[in-house]
Amino acid sequence: MKGLHNVAAVLFRLENSRAPDAIERVVACLVDWFAAAEQTALRRAFVVWLKRVLLPARVSGAEIPNVIE
């Protein structure tokens, strides 16, 4: 996805995504980006933020799986 060059760009795009499919597209692009071993801590922090902050606000009532990474 165009424009996903750093964490700030990703957070900005996610914060401005309103539809679940838009959020899904951005997150799908992050899978490869966060796959590197050196991204483990950042990946975990991002998953926590996604589950506790973004998803409940954007897709209320949706069941969010209990994942760590």
Side-chain angles (χ1 to χ4, degrees), residues 36-66:
E38 64 269 10
Q39 299 292 353
T40 300
L42 183 57
R43 180 176 56 246
R44 288 182 181 153
F46 183 79
V47 168
V48 169
W49 175 81
L50 193 67
K51 286 177 36 181
R52 294 185 182 171
V53 178
L54 186 77
L55 292 179
R58 297 290 192 271
V59 288
S60 62
E63 188 173 321
I64 302 168
N66 190 17

Side-chain angles (χ1 to χ4, degrees), residues 2-68:
K2 192 175 175 182
L4 297 181
H5 302 294
N6 61 52
V7 175
V10 173
L11 293 175
F12 184 75
R13 179 148 308 166
L14 282 173
E15 283 287 328
N16 287 298
S17 296
R18 299 290 176 228
D21 60 326
I23 294 169
E24 187 177 339
R25 282 192 303 271
V26 176
V27 171
C29 290
L30 291 172
V31 171
D32 289 336
W33 195 53
F34 281 142
E38 64 269 10
Q39 299 292 353
T40 300
L42 183 57
R43 180 176 56 246
R44 288 182 181 153
F46 183 79
V47 168
V48 169
W49 175 81
L50 193 67
K51 286 177 36 181
R52 294 185 182 171
V53 178
L54 186 77
L55 292 179
R58 297 290 192 271
V59 288
S60 62
E63 188 173 321
I64 302 168
N66 190 17
V67 295
I68 296 171

